[in-house]
C-alpha cells in the first residue's frame, strides 16, 4: 500500500532537487523497508541470521547493480538514485545494505568493468535477478588496510591458474555462487594483482561463516580458503590490472556507504525524536528539556550536512568528475556522524535504548563495522592527508 | 483484451485533512497526493490478467484529475500498465458523484475498453458509488466487490463478496468490475518499471473532447453538501485489572451480559 509512507527527514528541502524518478525510487524502496524489513529485522539481528526470505523481493525491485545498463538486466539508474536506494536499505539495517552493496558494487561492477563480454552475459543478468549471489574477496587475515601485502597467489598452470590463499571478513561469502577473488599473479608488487571468478563447488574452495559478531548480525560474514584451486583460463577478469582494480570497486561501494550511513542515522534520529515527544520525565516530555533539544539540534545539523554532502557527491559522480578522495571524505564523515547519532539516540532513550525493540543500539553496533570496513575512518584520513600534502603517511 | 483501470488521486492517507468551510470541500492543496490505495488492487488485478492471458492484452490507466497529477499517474504506469489517459478540465471542479461518473463514462466511451476495473472506493470521500454509477452510464454489467477474477476464453469468471458469502458470476465483456482488497497483494513498482514509465504515453482529454449533454462540475451537481460535522471524540475504554485469564474472561462475560449482548 503506497499511501501510508512516512516522509523522509529533509530539513533543507533537498527533495526538490531530485527528479520525480529519483523520488519515486526512494519512496518505493522506503515502503519496501517499512513493510518487509522493519517487521522482521530485530528478530533476525538477535538470532544472528541474514533475512534471506526477503531476497527474492529485493531482486524483483531491482536493487542489485541498478546503475548498470539495461542490456544486462539492470535498471540503468543514475548515481543519486543509487545512493537513495542505499540510504533506504540502511534505514532498515546496515547488513541489508551491505548485502546489496556487495552484490552490486563489489561483484557486478567488477564483472561489468573488468570482465569479458561472455562473463558479463553469463553473470550479470543472473546476479541482477537474484538467481545467483556473489562475494568479493580482497581482505586477508593479516592484510586489511594494507591489501598490497596480500598473500593469495594465482599461478599459471597450462592455460589456467592455480589459486592458493585465504580471505577474511567476506560479506555473503558462504551463500555466494561466485567469488570475485583478488590475487597476485607473481611475488612482485601490487601491479600483478588480478581478479578471478571462483565458483562455488570448485575443488579446494571452502567458505565458513565467522561467528560471535556483536555487529552486522543480520548479515553473513565469512572466511574463504583456497587450496590448490584449479581455475580455467576464462576465470580471470581480463581487463583487471593491479591493485587499482579492486580499489575502483571499493570507491563504488564507499559511495553507496556515504548515503547508506545517513539512512541508519535517520532511522535512529526519527525514533529518538518521537520518543522525546511521548516520554515524560519530571512531569514534562523529554523533548521539552533544553539538554535534549540541543542533542536533537546537533543531530539534525550533522545529518543535514551529510545529506548535502551525499547529494553533491552524487552530482559529481553523475557528471563523471567525482574523485576517490571526494568519496573518501563523504564515507568518512557520514559514517562517523552516523556512529555519533546512533550513540546519542541510544542514550536519549535511556534504559529502553538497550532493548531490541528500539533501533539505535542495533544501528550503533552495526555502524562500528561500517566505520571499520571499506577503508577505516583512519585510512580515509590518510587518503585525504596524502591528497592535501602529497606525502604518503600509510 | 483492452483492460482499463480507473484510478483516483487522493490526499496522503497519513496527512491531516481539512475541509474548506466555504465550499464544504476537502482542501487538496498543500497536501501530498497519492494513488488511491484501493486502486492499486485493481491495477494488480489488471496486470495479473494481462500476464496470464499473454495474448497482447493491454492495460490503460484512466483518471480524472488536474494536470498536476501526472507524477502519480506515472506510479501506476511504473507498476506495469502500458499507457494512461487523463481527463483534466478546470470545469470539472466540484463535480459530485453523478457528475464525475457521467463525465468519466463519456471519456471512457472514447477511450474504449473490454474490461473496466475499479477499486471499491477512494480513501477521501469514501462513497463507494462511482463503480455502480459508471456501469449504469456506460450501459454495461457492473460486478462490484469482486474478490476473485479469472479469464476463461471469452468469459470472465468473478467471485463477488456478499454480506453472507459469495456469488460466482461468469460474464462476457464489455463489463465493469470493482475489486476488493482481498483479491491480491499489489506489487511494488520495480526500479526498471519506474524508469520505463517515463517513456510511456499519457494522453490528455478535456471536456471539449467529450460533447457532454449536461453540465458537470459545481454547476451540474445534483447533490449539495448542507452541513459537515466531526464525530464525537470517543472516550477512553474501561480498563479492568484482573489476576488471571479466567477472571478476565468472566469480566468480559459480565460486561456482555450487562449490555444484553449475550
Amino acid at each position: 500500500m503506497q499511501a501510508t509512507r512516512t516522509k523522509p527527514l529533509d530539513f533543507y528541502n533537498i527533495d526538490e532537487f531530485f527528479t520525480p524518478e529519483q523520488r519515486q525510487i526512494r519512496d518505493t524502496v522506503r515502503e519496501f523497508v517499512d513493510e518487509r524489513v522493519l517487521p522482521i529485522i530485530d528478530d533476525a539481528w538477535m538470532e544472528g541470521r541474514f533475512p534471506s526470505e526477503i531476497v527474492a523481493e529485493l531482486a524483483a525491485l531491482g536493487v542489485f547493480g541498478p546503475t548498470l545498463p539495461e542490456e544486462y538486466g539492470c535498471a540503468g539508474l543514475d548515481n543519486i538514485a543509487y545512493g537513495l536506494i542505499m540510504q533506504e536499505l540502511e534505514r532498515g539495517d546496515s547488513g541489508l545494505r551491505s548485502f546489496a552493496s556487495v552484490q552490486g558494487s563489489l561483484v557486478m561492477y567488477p564483472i561489468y568493468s573488468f570482465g569479458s563480454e561472455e562473463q558479463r552475459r553469463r553473470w550479470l543478468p543472473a546476479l541482477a535477478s537474484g538467481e545467483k549471489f556473489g562475494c568479493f574477496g580482497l581482505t586477508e587475515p593479516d592484510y586489511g588496510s594494507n591489501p598490497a601485502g596480500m598473500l593469495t597467489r594465482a599461478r599459471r598452470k597450462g592455460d589456467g591458474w592455480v589459486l592458493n590463499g585465504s580471505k577474511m571478513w567476506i560479506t555473503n561469502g558462504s551463500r555466494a555462487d561466485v567469488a570475485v577473488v583478488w590475487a597476485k599473479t607473481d611475488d612482485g608488487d601490487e601491479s600483478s594483482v588480478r581478479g578471478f571468478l571462483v565458483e562455488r563447488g570448485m575443488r579446494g574452495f571452502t567458505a565458513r561463516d565467522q561467528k560471535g559478531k556483536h555487529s552486522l548480525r543480520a548479515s553473513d560474514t565469512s572466511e574463504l580458503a583456497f587450496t590448490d584451486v584449479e581455475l580455467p583460463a576464462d576465470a580471470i577478469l581480463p581487463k583487471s590490472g593491479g591493485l587499482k582494480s579492486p580499489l575502483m570497486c571499493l570507491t563504488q561501494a564507499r559511495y553507496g556507504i556515504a548515503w547508506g550511513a545517513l539512512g541508519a542515522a535517520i532511522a535512529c534520529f526519527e525514533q529518538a525524536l518521537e520518543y522525546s515527544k511521548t516520554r515524560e520525565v519530571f512531569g514534562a516530555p523529554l523533548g521539552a528539556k533544553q539538554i535534549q533539544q540541543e542533542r536533537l539540534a546537533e543531530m539534525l545539523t550533522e545529518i543535514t550536512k551529510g545529506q548535502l554532502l551525499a547529494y553533491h557527491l552524487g552530482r559529481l559522480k553523475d557528471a563523471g568528475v567525482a574523485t576517490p578522495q571526494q568519496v573518501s571524505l563523504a564515507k568518512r564523515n557520514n559514517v562517523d556522524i552516523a556512529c555519533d547519532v546512533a550513540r546519542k539516540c541510544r542514550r536519549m532513550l535511556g534504559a529502553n535504548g538497550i532493548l531490541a525493540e528500539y533501533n539505535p543500539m542495533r544501528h550503533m553496533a552495526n555502524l562500528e563495522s561500517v566505520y571499520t570496513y571499506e577503508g577505516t575512518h583512519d585510512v580515509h584520513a590518510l587518503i585525504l592527508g596524502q591528497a592535501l600534502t602529497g606525502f604518503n603517511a600509510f | 483484451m483492452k483492460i482499463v483501470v480507473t484510478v483516483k488521486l487522493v490526499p496522503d492517507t497519513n496527512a491531516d485533512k481539512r475541509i474548506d468551510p466555504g465550499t464544504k470541500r476537502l482542501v487538496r492543496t498543500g497536501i501530498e497526493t497519492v494513488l488511491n490505495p484501493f486502486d492499486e488492487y485493481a491495477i494488480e488485478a489488471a496486470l495479473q490478467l494481462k500476464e496470464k492471458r499473454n495474448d497482447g492484452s493491454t492495460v490503460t490507466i484512466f483518471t480524472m484529475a488536474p494536470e498536476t497529477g501526472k507524477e502519480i499517474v506515472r506510479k501506476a504506469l511504473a507498476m506495469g500498465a502500458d499507457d494512461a489517459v487523463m481527463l483534466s478540465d478546470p470545469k470539472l471542479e466540484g463535480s459530485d458523484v453523478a457528475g464525475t461518473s457521467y463525465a468519466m463514462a463519456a471519456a471512457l466511451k472514447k477511450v474504449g475498453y473490454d474490461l473496466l476495473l475499479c477499486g471499491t472506493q477512494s480513501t477521501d470521500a469514501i462513497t463507494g458509488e462511482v463503480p455502480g454509477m459508471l456501469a449504469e452510464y456506460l450501459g454495461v454489467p457492473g460486478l462490484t466487490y469482486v474478490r476473485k477474477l479469472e479469464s476463461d476464453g471469452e468469459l470472465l469468471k468473478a467471485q463477488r463478496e456478499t454480506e453472507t458469502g459469495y456469488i460466482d458470476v461468469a460474464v462476457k465483456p464489455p463489463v465493469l468490475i470493482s475489486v476488493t482488497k482481498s483479491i491480491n497483494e499489489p506489487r511494488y513498482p520495480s526500479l526498471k518499471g519506474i524508469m520505463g514509465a517515463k517513456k510511456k504515453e499519457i494522453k490528455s482529454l478535456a471536456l471539449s473532447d467529450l460533447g457532454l449533454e449536461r453540465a458537470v462540475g459545481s454547476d451540474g451537481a445534483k447533490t449539495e453538501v448542507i452541513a459537515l460535522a466531526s464525530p464525537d471524540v470517543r472516550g477512553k475504554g474501561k480498563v479492568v485489572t484482573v489476576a488471571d485469564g479466567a477472571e478476565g474472561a468472566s469480566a468480559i462475560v459480565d460486561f456482555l451480559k450487562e449490555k444484553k449482548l449475550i
Side-chain angles (χ1 to χ4, degrees):
Chain A
M1 294 266 298
Q2 303 182 352
T4 52
R5 68 162 174 265
T6 47
K7 289 278 283 177
L9 179 70
D10 181 23
F11 199 68
Y12 260 44
N13 299 336
I14 305 170
D15 230 49
E16 286 176 18
F17 297 100
F18 298 143
T19 64
E21 287 77 26
Q22 287 165 349
R23 276 197 292 270
Q24 204 186 330
I25 285 165
R26 192 257 328 267
D27 292 347
T28 300
V29 179
R30 192 174 179 82
E31 281 157 26
F32 177 84
V33 168
D34 281 349
E35 293 170 4
R36 298 284 198 267
V37 179
L38 296 185
I40 59 164
I41 195 65
D42 289 330
D43 286 345
W45 200 92
M46 292 298 281
E47 291 160 17
R49 171 183 82 77
F50 174 73
S52 51
E53 62 269 34
I54 58 170
V55 169
E57 274 190 295
L58 267 177
L61 271 181
V63 305
F64 300 141
T67 56
L68 298 181
E70 288 181 51
E71 60 175 308
Y72 299 109
C74 306
L77 303 184
D78 58 67
N79 285 290
I80 290 176
Y82 174 69
L84 289 166
I85 294 170
M86 295 298 119
Q87 173 189 297
E88 292 308 322
L89 290 179
E90 197 149 357
R91 196 174 59 85
D93 191 78
S94 300
L96 188 66
R97 199 267 310 134
S98 299
F99 183 83
S101 282
V102 168
Q103 181 88 345
S105 291
L106 298 182
V107 177
M108 295 172 71
Y109 170 81
I111 293 175
Y112 175 72
S113 299
F114 311 125
S116 65
E117 195 52 35
E118 293 74 47
Q119 287 169 331
R120 287 176 170 188
R121 301 262 164 222
R122 177 171 174 213
W123 289 107
L124 294 180
L127 290 161
S129 65
E131 188 192 318
K132 302 279 185 194
F133 294 103
C135 67
F136 177 89
L138 176 66
T139 297
E140 298 188 357
D142 293 320
Y143 295 92
S145 294
N146 176 22
M150 68 170 68
L151 300 176
T152 302
R153 294 287 184 272
R155 301 201 188 270
R156 274 282 183 196
K157 184 182 177 190
D159 284 348
W161 305 85
V162 178
L163 186 68
N164 276 289
S166 63
K167 299 289 177 182
M168 209 170 173
W169 308 112
I170 310 303
T171 300
N172 304 352
S174 58
R175 69 177 60 238
D177 301 288
V178 60
V180 175
V181 178
W182 300 92
K184 280 187 182 172
T185 51
D186 63 33
D187 293 330
D189 64 11
E190 62 185 54
S191 66
S192 79
V193 170
R194 306 291 296 270
F196 294 87
L197 299 180
V198 183
E199 293 178 46
R200 180 209 283 270
M202 282 181 162
R203 205 184 164 91
F205 169 32
T206 54
R208 194 167 50 98
D209 276 342
Q210 294 174 240
K211 298 289 179 196
K213 291 184 294 173
H214 285 302
S215 177
L216 293 185
R217 289 185 52 77
S219 166
D220 295 327
T221 308
S222 323
E223 195 176 348
L224 311 182
F226 312 98
T227 312
D228 294 328
V229 181
E230 298 211 6
L231 300 175
D234 62 2
I236 194 166
L237 292 171
K239 288 178 253 174
S240 65
L243 192 62
K244 185 168 180 281
S245 299
L247 294 183
M248 281 168 69
C249 302
L250 293 179
T251 300
Q252 299 299 315
R254 289 165 180 173
Y255 168 76
I257 293 169
W259 286 86
L262 291 174
I266 290 168
C268 298
F269 178 79
E270 286 178 339
Q271 204 162 63
L273 177 61
E274 185 56 36
Y275 190 83
S276 78
K277 292 175 186 171
T278 50
R279 166 77 180 180
E280 295 218 347
V281 282
F282 298 106
L286 190 68
K289 305 291 175 191
Q290 288 186 349
I291 199 165
Q292 307 298 354
Q293 289 194 357
E294 197 212 359
R295 281 194 179 123
L296 289 167
E298 286 288 344
M299 291 192 280
L300 176 67
T301 306
E302 290 308 322
I303 291 171
T304 302
K305 281 152 71 178
Q307 285 176 318
L308 290 167
L309 203 55
Y311 170 62
H312 189 63
L313 182 63
R315 287 173 28 145
L316 293 172
K317 202 161 181 334
D318 279 331
V321 297
T323 65
Q325 292 78 14
Q326 287 168 332
V327 175
S328 283
L329 189 151
K331 189 270 181 186
R332 183 174 188 269
N333 178 75
N334 287 5
V335 175
D336 195 40
I337 67 110
C339 288
D340 269 354
V341 167
R343 195 185 315 108
K344 276 203 177 88
C345 290
R346 210 291 310 145
R347 291 174 183 171
M348 271 186 76
L349 292 172
N352 281 326
I354 70 161
L355 293 175
E357 64 179 284
Y358 295 93
N359 68 36
M361 190 138 178
R362 172 167 56 81
H363 284 297
M364 185 181 112
N366 283 340
L367 285 163
E368 285 300 311
S369 292
V370 182
Y371 183 93
T372 307
Y373 72 26
E374 302 280 346
T376 67
H377 188 71
D378 296 343
V379 160
H380 289 297
L382 298 184
I383 289 172
L384 294 173
Q386 188 173 4
L388 288 168
T389 65
F391 301 123
N392 179 349
F394 282 97
Chain B
M1 179 182 280
K2 180 168 182 178
I3 308 167
V4 177
V5 186
T6 61
V7 305
K8 189 177 187 185
L9 313 187
V10 297
D12 187 345
T13 46
N14 276 347
D16 288 331
K17 297 181 189 78
R18 209 163 52 79
I19 305 284
D20 181 325
T23 62
K24 299 198 181 69
R25 278 189 229 141
L26 189 64
V27 178
R28 288 175 192 272
T29 48
I31 296 184
E32 195 174 352
T33 306
V34 298
L35 194 60
N36 175 34
F38 286 91
D39 298 339
E40 290 180 22
Y41 296 86
I43 297 170
E44 181 62 36
L47 295 173
Q48 285 186 13
L49 207 59
K50 171 188 161 157
E51 285 157 7
K52 207 153 189 189
R53 289 178 65 95
N54 195 23
D55 60 352
S57 293
T58 57
V59 176
T60 299
I61 302 297
F62 174 85
T63 191
M64 183 174 120
E67 290 271 355
T68 49
K70 263 195 182 156
E71 198 177 317
I72 313 296
V73 172
R74 295 228 181 265
K75 198 165 195 172
L77 291 172
M79 285 175 76
D82 297 286
D83 56 7
V85 180
M86 281 182 84
L87 172 60
S88 308
D89 204 307
K91 290 193 204 92
L92 284 162
E93 205 180 318
S95 294
D96 60 0
V97 175
T100 299
S101 306
Y102 174 68
M104 282 175 72
L108 286 164
K109 279 180 193 165
K110 264 194 119 60
V111 172
Y113 58 90
D114 298 303
L115 167 62
L116 198 52
L117 278 167
C118 314
T120 50
Q121 66 203 56
S122 61
T123 55
D124 50 3
I126 326 180
T127 68
E129 289 168 344
V130 168
M133 266 196 214
L134 201 50
E136 194 61 28
Y137 276 123
L138 289 167
V140 296
L143 303 182
T144 48
Y145 300 100
V146 166
R147 68 174 188 187
K148 267 189 192 169
L149 179 62
E150 279 171 20
S151 166
D152 185 2
E154 287 206 343
L155 291 179
L156 284 167
K157 291 189 168 171
Q159 191 171 85
R160 295 187 61 209
E161 273 177 24
T162 70
E163 278 183 16
T164 50
Y166 59 86
I167 308 170
D168 283 325
V169 192
V171 64
K172 206 171 157 187
V175 59
L176 177 147
I177 291 176
S178 78
V179 301
T180 66
K181 283 184 171 184
S182 48
I183 193 164
N184 56 41
E185 178 69 33
R187 68 192 66 189
Y188 293 97
S190 75
L191 307 187
K192 253 191 273 184
I194 292 170
M195 297 312 285
K198 241 189 341 191
K199 297 168 208 140
K200 290 178 180 172
E201 188 185 13
I202 303 180
K203 270 191 218 129
S204 292
L205 284 177
L207 282 182
S208 56
D209 298 318
L210 304 184
L212 300 184
E213 288 166 6
R214 75 168 182 84
V216 290
S218 314
D219 297 344
K222 296 183 178 198
T223 53
E224 186 189 346
V225 178
I226 295 167
L228 286 158
S230 301
D232 292 335
V233 179
R234 273 168 102 182
K236 277 195 177 168
K238 186 178 163 192
V239 177
V240 186
T241 309
V242 292
D244 56 24
E247 200 184 315
S250 61
I252 292 169
V253 169
D254 290 347
F255 173 80
L256 292 172
K257 272 188 185 156
E258 184 192 313
K259 295 278 173 194
K260 297 197 174 11
L261 290 167
I262 51 172

